[in-house]
């Protein structure tokens, strides 16, 4: 199975709990002979929706010629999108920052959520066009069970990837990493259980 790991954290696994957990998942997937490609978003150029991209959107609809800068940005966005759609399973790895997802992950989502390519509008509302599954691995300094309305990281990832047609598998939410008593040793058995269960679901 072709798996894409979307790494939305500028830190290394030594300092990032979500990446540390993702490393275990990837090792287990590779043991089962799955192919795993990693996209380190903080080392990638992902053209965000800016003035030029907005202008290119408008011009493309009218069949107008793009400037060189507009063409370059649109070309790179299309290349990323074309590669993105070719996987069977997606692993999104991110920290919770200011109650939401890191901006590089949002930039990628703004590249891949394209009407006519990854979703379409129908009489009965929008329909996702991707096939496959995804899991989200997120670490957060706080614990959100009593204030879910403040959590826009996992809830956003969950909704947007389902919107694109992918089936959600059980997320790993590593919570309370900034609350003093979090330890990787203590968390290891929870992680191992999740990895065992999740790898079994990737077929
Ligand atoms: C810029 C920044 C913003 C953060 N915002 C939040 C937040 O809104 N809620 C929260 O629970 N933790 C927040 N944290 C703490 C991180 O979620 C926590 O350190 C988590 O472990 C990060 O994931 P990582 O260990 O994979 O890097 C923030 C950390 C940083 C650096």
């Amino acid at each position: 199975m072709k798996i894409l790991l979307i790494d939305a954290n500028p830190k290394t696994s030594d300092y990032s709990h979500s990446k540390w957990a993702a490393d275990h998942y990837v090792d287990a997937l590779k043991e089962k002979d799955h192919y795993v490609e990693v996209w380190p978003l903080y080392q990638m150029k992902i053209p965000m929706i800016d003035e030029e991209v907005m202008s290119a959107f408008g011009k493309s609809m009218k069949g107008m010629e793009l400037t060189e800068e507009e063409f370059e940005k649109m070309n790179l966005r299309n290349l990323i999108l074309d590669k993105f759609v070719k996987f069977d399973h997606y692993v999104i790895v991110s920290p919770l920052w200011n109650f939401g997802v890191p901006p590089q992950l949002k930039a990628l989502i703004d590249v891949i959520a394209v009407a006519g390519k990854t979703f379409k509008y129908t009489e009965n509302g929008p329909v996702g066009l991707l096939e496959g599954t995804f899991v989200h691995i997120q670490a957060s300094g706080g614990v959100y069970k009593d204030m879910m309305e403040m959590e826009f990281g996992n809830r956003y990832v969950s909704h947007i990837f389902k919107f694109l047609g992918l089936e959600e598998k059980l997320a790993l939410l590593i919570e309370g990493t900034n609350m003093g008593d979090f330890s990787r040793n203590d968390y290891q058995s929870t992680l191992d259980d999740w990895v065992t269960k999740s790898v079994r679901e990737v077929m």
Side-chain angles (χ1 to χ4, degrees):
M1 186 165 276
K2 275 187 77 181
I3 296 169
L4 176 63
L5 183 131
I6 300 164
D7 166 9
N9 197 323
K11 294 197 273 186
T12 64
S13 305
D14 284 346
Y15 301 97
S16 158
H17 299 301
S18 55
K19 283 172 81 160
W20 161 74
D23 288 346
H24 283 73
Y25 186 42
V26 168
D27 287 347
L29 289 168
K30 285 183 175 168
E31 264 175 35
K32 297 278 176 202
D33 287 333
H34 294 298
Y35 166 80
V36 183
E37 184 168 318
V38 179
W39 285 11
L41 298 192
Y42 275 86
Q43 291 164 40
M44 288 170 63
K45 195 170 162 194
I46 305 171
M48 68 156 97
I49 299 177
D50 60 6
E51 200 177 343
E52 277 159 346
V53 171
M54 285 305 291
S55 165
F57 284 162
K59 285 183 179 174
S60 301
M61 296 223 295
K62 294 181 201 145
M64 288 166 67
E65 204 173 314
L66 307 185
T67 65
E68 204 177 312
E69 290 75 19
E70 289 166 354
F71 177 82
E72 266 178 31
K73 285 189 180 178
M74 293 310 288
N75 195 39
L76 184 50
R77 289 172 60 88
N78 289 333
L79 281 174
I80 294 170
L81 174 59
D82 290 345
K83 284 188 185 159
F84 180 85
V85 298
K86 298 205 167 97
F87 293 87
D88 308 300
H89 179 60
Y90 298 82
V91 186
I92 303 104
V93 185
S94 56
L96 185 68
W97 281 353
N98 298 316
F99 306 114
V101 297
Q104 278 293 88
L105 179 54
K106 180 60 168 61
L108 178 72
I109 289 167
D110 286 345
V111 167
I112 60 168
V114 178
K117 295 240 174 153
T118 49
F119 71 94
K120 66 177 178 185
Y121 294 106
T122 72
E123 281 174 5
N124 303 318
V127 174
L129 296 175
L130 295 183
E131 287 174 8
T133 57
F134 73 96
V135 290
H136 185 205
I137 300 176
Q138 175 180 275
S140 63
V143 176
Y144 286 84
K145 68 175 174 4
D146 293 329
M147 45 178 196
M148 284 302 293
E149 70 283 1
M150 298 285 285
E151 202 286 321
F152 297 98
N154 173 249
R155 287 194 302 147
Y156 176 58
V157 167
S158 168
H159 281 292
I160 190 82
F161 282 83
K162 281 190 288 190
F163 174 80
L164 301 179
L166 297 170
E167 182 193 337
E168 183 173 32
K169 298 292 180 182
L170 184 67
L172 181 70
L173 302 179
I174 308 168
E175 294 194 301
T177 63
N178 284 1
M179 294 180 64
D181 58 353
F182 179 83
S183 106
R184 288 186 180 186
N185 274 346
D186 292 348
Y187 196 78
Q188 187 73 55
S189 64
T190 304
L191 173 59
D192 291 342
D193 289 350
W194 179 85
V195 166
T196 306
K197 184 179 180 307
S198 300
V199 169
R200 223 182 280 136
E201 299 238 332
V202 178
M203 289 187 293

